[in-house]
Amino acid sequence: MRIVVTSLGDVPRDLSDLDPKFVIIWSCLLACVISAWLVDRLRIWAWVTVCLGVAVLALLINLMAEPPSLMWDGQDSSGRWIGGMEVASPAWGAALWAVGGLALIAAGICGLIGECQRSAERQQLLKRQWSAERIRQDTHSRLVARQQRTLAENAARLLPLMSLASWIVMIWVPIMDNQATDEEGVTLTSLGFNTTELVDMGPGILLAWTAVILSAAVGLTMEPPAWWSAVVVAFGVGLYPMLVGILTYPPAVRWRGETASGESISANIIGFPAAGVSFWALGSITLIVAGISGLLAQRQRRRLFR
């Protein structure tokens, strides 16, 4: 009997179990790495990265303080019942986990130092090149621009968060379910297929999660790239064919068993649409609306500065 914990969760014997907290850490890490190359100002990013590093180290300390355990029982060659308890011990992966957490904290601190240096350099440059009147006019134009694009830009930034929330809810609210009352069944959540013996996070689910997390992370930046709104619309539209494909070809699991008389029986259990379909549709719609709002905000900005 073995207990193995990887960055994807617990893997005891023949069961691969995606733990939601490990998936959240993976999602946050990917969003942190990608957003670092997209944002112009790292102040908010740096604080979030430091908090993520502290949270990662705290989870590691908790795993080492309360390691996972497994109870087992069986029979020896004489037919006597035996049993025991297996407790996991730290492995080399714990050191890599610690290095990753410390690297996140160091990256956040470096980002804060860089922002302080950039702020000082920016102030000196403004003092040398700009007059007081020019600064006043530029500040006034920025305030007017911000007032005119508040509604569209706020929608472009906040709606992807609603899409992300929908996908988080779908971890616990199934998209497809077989409505069965016995032990055998098939369930599809935003983390993949969950049957009695398998948790499968396929490439399609990974791509969808990546698109939603990227949209939410980039939407929170101060100045997203001009082309990003069109990409968000494409993400939202692309999620619909994926949902239609799932509804058209629902997940199924083959079930086998025996009757009381020992006769072998089998059946196919097919998933049915569940409440998660509505959350999937809501997440797609919010991404499309967010992208359209971003395009409107960019158009308003061009008209203002013209």
Side-chain angles (χ1 to χ4, degrees), residues 192-262:
F193 297 106
N194 299 312
T195 63
T196 55
E197 297 181 355
L198 180 64
V199 178
D200 179 20
M201 195 171 187
I205 296 294
L206 286 172
L207 291 175
W209 264 105
T210 303
V212 173
I213 293 173
L214 277 178
S215 300
V218 178
L220 291 177
T221 61
M222 296 302 294
E223 293 293 341
W227 47 265
W228 184 250
S229 298
V231 174
V232 172
V233 173
F235 283 161
V237 174
L239 290 177
Y240 274 106
M242 185 177 178
L243 178 60
V244 172
I246 293 173
L247 296 176
T248 305
Y249 302 99
V253 63
R254 185 71 175 177
W255 171 80
R256 292 181 175 85
E258 291 184 354
T259 63
S261 60

Side-chain angles (χ1 to χ4, degrees), residues 1 21 23 73 91 143 159 188 267 271 304:
M1 304 294 292
K21 62 176 177 290
V23 176
D73 57 12
L143 289 175
L159 284 176
L188 174 65
L304 177 66

Side-chain angles (χ1 to χ4, degrees), residues 58-306:
L59 182 57
L60 175 62
I61 294 173
N62 182 66
L63 282 175
M64 298 181 67
E66 299 180 3
S69 60
L70 178 67
M71 300 293 295
W72 64 273
D73 57 12
Q75 289 181 324
D76 60 11
S77 58
S78 302
R80 294 175 298 181
W81 287 99
I82 58 176
M85 181 177 181
E86 299 292 339
V87 180
S89 302
W92 283 104
L96 296 177
W97 185 304
V99 170
L102 293 174
L104 287 174
I105 296 175
I109 294 175
C110 292
L112 291 173
I113 295 175
E115 281 297 309
C116 291
Q117 294 176 348
R118 181 187 296 183
S119 298
E121 294 175 356
R122 187 183 298 113
Q123 291 178 359
Q124 293 178 359
L125 184 61
L126 287 176
K127 289 180 181 179
R128 294 174 182 175
Q129 297 181 356
W130 292 46
S131 63
E133 182 64 21
R134 183 65 180 274
I135 295 176
R136 186 188 66 81
Q137 293 177 357
D138 183 68
T139 303
H140 176 72
S141 62
R142 290 181 179 271
L143 289 175
V144 173
R146 185 172 300 175
Q147 291 175 357
Q148 292 194 7
R149 68 173 187 257
T150 295
L151 181 60
E153 193 170 56
N154 285 343
R157 292 178 178 179
L158 298 179
L159 284 176
L161 293 177
M162 184 180 297
S163 181
L164 179 61
S166 298
W167 276 73
I168 293 175
V169 170
M170 284 189 293
I171 295 176
W172 295 274
V173 178
I175 304 166
M176 304 288 288
D177 200 357
N178 68 317
Q179 309 289 334
T181 58
D182 56 4
E183 294 183 357
E184 297 289 342
V186 56
T187 303
L188 174 65
T189 71
S190 61
L191 295 183
F193 297 106
N194 299 312
T195 63
T196 55
E197 297 181 355
L198 180 64
V199 178
D200 179 20
M201 195 171 187
I205 296 294
L206 286 172
L207 291 175
W209 264 105
T210 303
V212 173
I213 293 173
L214 277 178
S215 300
V218 178
L220 291 177
T221 61
M222 296 302 294
E223 293 293 341
W227 47 265
W228 184 250
S229 298
V231 174
V232 172
V233 173
F235 283 161
V237 174
L239 290 177
Y240 274 106
M242 185 177 178
L243 178 60
V244 172
I246 293 173
L247 296 176
T248 305
Y249 302 99
V253 63
R254 185 71 175 177
W255 171 80
R256 292 181 175 85
E258 291 184 354
T259 63
S261 60
E263 181 182 359
S264 297
I265 57 176
S266 62
N268 280 331
I269 299 178
I270 300 176
F272 293 94
V277 173
S278 300
F279 287 99
W280 186 304
L282 176 63
S284 301
I285 292 173
T286 52
L287 285 182
I288 295 173
V289 176
I292 294 175
S293 299
L295 293 173
L296 293 176
Q298 293 173 12
R299 178 174 296 183
Q300 291 176 357
R301 186 184 307 174
R302 295 192 190 99
R303 289 179 178 178
L304 177 66
F305 284 102
R306 284 177 184 175

